[in-house]
Amino acid sequence: MAARFRFRLASLLRVRVALEEEAKRRLALAVLARDRAAARVAELRETQRQAVESRRTGLNEAVDLDRWRATERFLLVIERRIAQAQEAVREAEARVAEARRALVKAHQDQLVLQRLKERRQEQHALEVLREETREMDEIAVLRYHFTHSGASNR
């Protein structure tokens, strides 16, 4: 009976699979962080829109200049915060891109070992088949000699 197939690099393959899973988790966290940063930008833009709307006055309504100045200062602060939040989104996008590259690399590393395992399995199966064929041929030859030597002795 032929030996059972055993992939010598199985533990390395398990490590590579685990590294790929970790890369998937990191990508998911990076995407989540990017989405949160984008949501923050959207919130700030909505706050800005509401502040701009609050500056409107009704027809024949007196303008409160103190309130107008405070709103303008608030809008300046909001614009600065929007710029910071947009920078945070750009940084988060860069982290997402890096996490994607890391995932692709981890996946490729894992696939290399997986394909090597498959090739080795195929080689092992072919060797087992050859061994079994050789053994069956030997048995057939022995059986032939046994049946023909017994028939010639009679």
Side-chain angles (χ1 to χ4, degrees):
M1 172 123 185
R4 192 174 137 259
F5 174 75
R6 185 173 170 275
F7 186 54
R8 291 184 349 202
L9 300 175
S11 59
L12 180 59
L13 181 59
R14 283 192 300 275
V15 168
R16 295 260 173 103
V17 168
L19 287 174
E20 183 181 5
E21 291 301 317
E22 178 63 26
K24 285 179 185 177
R25 282 190 288 278
R26 286 186 182 146
L27 176 60
L29 290 174
V31 168
L32 184 63
R34 182 207 50 203
D35 292 347
R36 285 182 181 156
R40 175 74 177 139
V41 169
E43 288 172 12
L44 288 170
R45 287 192 189 279
E46 178 60 23
T47 302
Q48 181 185 35
R49 188 193 63 73
Q50 289 173 356
V52 168
E53 288 293 320
S54 73
R55 289 190 306 188
R56 291 192 179 166
T57 57
L59 192 59
N60 295 327
E61 187 178 323
V63 176
D64 184 359
L65 291 178
D66 290 332
R67 184 170 167 246
W68 186 278
R69 276 190 228 113
T71 303
E72 287 301 315
R73 282 193 305 268
F74 179 71
L75 285 172
L76 287 174
V77 170
I78 289 294
E79 286 174 13
R80 238 180 290 126
R81 287 183 184 170
I82 288 173
Q84 290 170 344
Q86 287 173 332
E87 181 60 30
V89 169
R90 282 190 290 278
E91 291 171 3
E93 282 289 345
R95 286 190 295 274
V96 166
E98 179 60 33
R100 277 197 176 108
R101 284 191 293 276
L103 176 58
V104 166
K105 172 88 171 78
H107 183 66
Q108 288 173 342
D109 291 346
Q110 184 261 344
L111 276 181
V112 165
L113 275 180
Q114 188 64 38
R115 288 183 184 133
L116 177 63
K117 178 182 177 182
E118 290 169 0
R119 281 197 309 269
R120 295 266 171 91
Q121 256 180 327
E122 289 172 5
Q123 288 173 346
H124 178 76
L126 187 59
E127 289 171 9
V128 166
L129 181 63
R130 286 181 183 153
E131 178 70 26
E132 288 175 356
T133 304
R134 191 174 47 75
E135 288 175 1
M136 288 172 52
D137 288 347
E138 288 177 9
I139 291 171
V141 167
L142 288 175
R143 193 175 280 156
Y144 175 80
H145 286 303
F146 180 73
T147 56
H148 285 307
S149 67
S152 62
N153 288 342
R154 290 185 196 165

